[in-house]
Amino acid sequence: MDHTSTWFVGLDVHKETIAVAYIDCQPGAEAVSFGTIGTRHSDLDKLIRKLQSKGKHLVFVYEAGPCGYWLYRYLRRKNLTCFVVAPSLIPKRPGDRVKTDRRDAITLARWMRSGDLTAVYVPEVEDEAIRDLARAREDTLQDLKAAQCRLKAFLLCQDIGYTGRAHWGPAHLRWLAEVVCPTPAQQIVFQDGPGA
């Protein structure tokens, strides 16, 4: 790769916008803020065309975050170089507490040029899908446990107690099916609320 024809492009990615900055590899070059673009593919294509029209090799970098890896995968499909870095691995200057999208994009471009950023592993789509499935299962189990606690607390407030041994087993579920609350309003809460 010819360093004299390379631009490092920092991207500060958000849900609906991407702040863009770039810096040339020439000694003494200053980072330039390109501005803000949208997150649609057409917005990215337009950015790529504008930057490539200068005859430069482009190296993109952005922080890992809630927007995921779609941008990395999109740029890689276009045969462009892209790195994703963990926010915790980005060097911080003492006293530099002002954060704006523009400054973050410029900082990413500068650190990428200096070689001080460490890229994270970007999982394949299938691996990420398995991770999403595992997270969804864990979230569902936590939701179930919270709902069970709410139901037990509701019944305790109504002085309705289960005298059997194990909660949430077949006998307990049969007992729950036969519970009658003191008032119709509480019965509605019981049937549609905490344990539903």
Side-chain angles (χ1 to χ4, degrees):
M1 166 175 38
D2 180 12
H3 266 315
T4 60
S5 66
T6 300
W7 275 356
F8 292 101
V9 183
L11 305 172
D12 190 45
V13 182
H14 297 282
K15 179 181 174 185
E16 296 179 2
T17 61
I18 301 174
V20 181
Y22 60 88
I23 190 166
D24 199 317
C25 273
Q26 299 293 335
E30 288 296 318
V32 177
S33 174
F34 182 86
T36 303
I37 65 169
T39 56
R40 297 174 310 186
H41 291 182
S42 59
D43 298 327
L44 291 166
D45 291 340
K46 186 176 177 182
L47 170 71
I48 293 165
R49 279 193 307 274
K50 280 187 179 181
L51 295 178
Q52 284 180 331
S53 70
K54 307 292 185 189
K56 302 290 185 176
H57 172 73
L58 305 177
V59 177
F60 292 89
V61 61
Y62 72 97
E63 291 182 29
C67 294
Y69 300 115
W70 70 267
L71 179 56
Y72 170 87
R73 293 183 181 119
Y74 184 76
L75 293 171
R76 295 297 293 152
R77 279 196 304 273
K78 299 232 171 241
N79 293 320
L80 295 166
T81 306
C82 184
F83 297 94
V84 181
V85 296
S88 62
L89 298 177
I90 297 174
K92 305 277 189 262
R93 290 192 176 120
D96 189 11
R97 294 194 175 107
V98 177
K99 282 185 59 64
T100 65
D101 298 345
R102 180 181 169 277
R103 285 183 68 166
D104 288 350
I106 289 171
T107 300
L108 284 168
R110 284 182 182 151
W111 285 121
M112 193 67 203
R113 179 180 79 165
S114 68
D116 290 324
L117 294 178
T118 304
V120 298
Y121 168 72
V122 177
E124 296 296 325
V125 174
E126 295 78 14
D127 295 335
E128 193 171 16
I130 295 298
R131 184 176 6 180
D132 290 341
L133 181 63
R135 286 178 178 159
R137 181 181 186 281
E138 184 177 320
D139 291 345
T140 300
L141 290 174
Q142 288 176 353
D143 292 346
L144 175 62
K145 188 172 186 174
Q148 289 171 338
C149 286
R150 286 192 305 272
L151 179 61
K152 286 172 73 174
F154 174 78
L155 292 174
L156 180 62
C157 286
Q158 309 312 316
D159 194 29
I160 301 172
Y162 178 62
T163 57
R165 287 186 179 188
H167 283 77
W168 313 115
H172 184 240
L173 295 177
R174 282 191 299 275
W175 175 81
L176 283 173
E178 298 171 0
V179 167
V180 177
C181 294
T183 68
Q186 291 168 326
Q187 190 68 28
I188 291 171
V189 171
F190 170 71
Q191 290 174 339
D192 298 334

